Amino acid sequence: MNLNDLRNFLETSQENDYVLVIISLIFCILASFLLMYVYKYKSNSLSSKIQISPIIPLLSTITFLVILIVKSSLALSLGLVGALSVIRFRTPVKEPEDLAFLFLSIGIGIGYGATQIYLTTIIFLSIIFIIWFFLSKKEQNIKNDFNLIIESKSKDKDKVFSEIQKMLKDFSIEANFVKLEQNNDNFILYFRVSFQNVENINKITHEINKKLNDVQFSIYENRVID
């Protein structure tokens, strides 16, 4: 069987062909775990990898099941629309890159659930190739790219922010403010920072402990911690 025969078999088989469904499921699972690996090691997401990466295979597989069930029935499709209308996500996706990976995992489930194995595989691998070699700059930044997270219950947020800015100016090569999270009890500041050497990390740690003893903080390299 040559490549054209295999392609025709995968795209023209009957919907009740259980062998094709099993093949589609296997491809879906393999693709979703590959996507999870790429997300963990090539994504520049700041704070959501631990929460999001394990659900990528699950999301793809669930989407596969839903599409497999409703694709041959208009009534079931309409029922799915009604069921999804009552779902609410209480935790928003904070990073646009996370949203793109989640959408891609759903796309995998839709493609393989519709038994479009050949086209889904080719397009998915093309996207992975682009992400791995062109869109991710992790390999260039990993040696000197750190995340600094400051958490405080102080009422004077401006003072804390000002003091942190001064310290970063004195002890870092480059510092970029990423985001602020705040609720009634505390606030969290996120920075992406580059240090010249380990000594400067020790210095800024000492200064934070000395001048802002009411805050909690963490400094870690911008990569996945296994």
Side-chain angles (χ1 to χ4, degrees), residues 35 47 54 56 70 82 86 92 94 97-98 105 153 172 177-178 180 186:
L35 180 61
S47 59
I56 288 178
V70 305
V86 301
K94 299 176 182 179
E97 189 177 15
D98 295 340
S105 69
K153 295 184 178 180
S172 69
F177 175 69
V178 178
L180 164 68
N186 63 350

Side-chain angles (χ1 to χ4, degrees), residues 33-44:
F33 275 97
L34 175 60
L35 180 61
M36 181 183 71
Y37 177 85
V38 172
Y39 174 73
K40 287 176 63 177
Y41 292 96
K42 286 296 181 177
S43 170
N44 293 312

Side-chain angles (χ1 to χ4, degrees), residues 22-36 56-58 60-61 64 108 112 124:
I22 293 174
I23 294 175
S24 296
L25 178 59
I26 293 173
F27 271 82
C28 181
I29 293 172
L30 293 176
S32 63
F33 275 97
L34 175 60
L35 180 61
M36 181 183 71
I56 288 178
L58 182 62
S60 295
T61 309
F64 174 91
I108 292 170
Y112 288 117
F124 169 70

Side-chain angles (χ1 to χ4, degrees), residues 166-192:
K166 291 179 182 178
M167 296 176 193
L168 292 174
K169 184 177 180 180
D170 291 337
F171 301 113
S172 69
I173 301 173
E174 181 181 0
N176 297 307
F177 175 69
V178 178
K179 62 180 177 179
L180 164 68
E181 293 182 0
Q182 183 172 2
N183 55 40
N184 294 331
D185 298 325
N186 63 350
F187 62 90
I188 305 176
L189 302 171
Y190 294 85
F191 296 88
R192 185 160 286 168

Side-chain angles (χ1 to χ4, degrees), residues 8 14 16 28 33 50 53 57 83-84 94 101 107 110 115 152 156 170 172 177 189 193 195-196:
N8 291 332
Q14 298 296 321
N16 60 353
C28 181
F33 275 97
I50 296 177
S53 58
L84 293 179
K94 299 176 182 179
F101 275 94
I110 293 174
T115 61
S152 176
D156 194 350
D170 291 337
S172 69
F177 175 69
L189 302 171
V193 188
F195 294 101
Q196 185 172 6

Side-chain angles (χ1 to χ4, degrees), residues 4 14-15 25 28 38 88 120-121 137 142 182-183 191 204 215 219:
N4 289 332
Q14 298 296 321
E15 291 183 352
L25 178 59
C28 181
V38 172
R88 299 289 185 270
T120 303
T121 301
K137 297 182 179 180
I142 192 170
Q182 183 172 2
N183 55 40
F191 296 88
I204 194 171
V215 305
I219 302 174

Side-chain angles (χ1 to χ4, degrees), residues 54-101:
I55 72 169
I56 288 178
L58 182 62
L59 181 60
S60 295
T61 309
I62 292 174
T63 305
F64 174 91
L65 175 62
V66 171
I67 297 301
L68 187 67
I69 292 172
V70 305
K71 68 177 182 177
S72 60
S73 172
L74 178 60
L76 288 174
S77 301
L78 295 175
L80 175 65
V81 173
L84 293 179
S85 67
V86 301
I87 297 177
R88 299 289 185 270
F89 292 97
R90 300 300 181 185
T91 303
V93 178
K94 299 176 182 179
E95 302 281 351
E97 189 177 15
D98 295 340
L99 187 61
F101 275 94

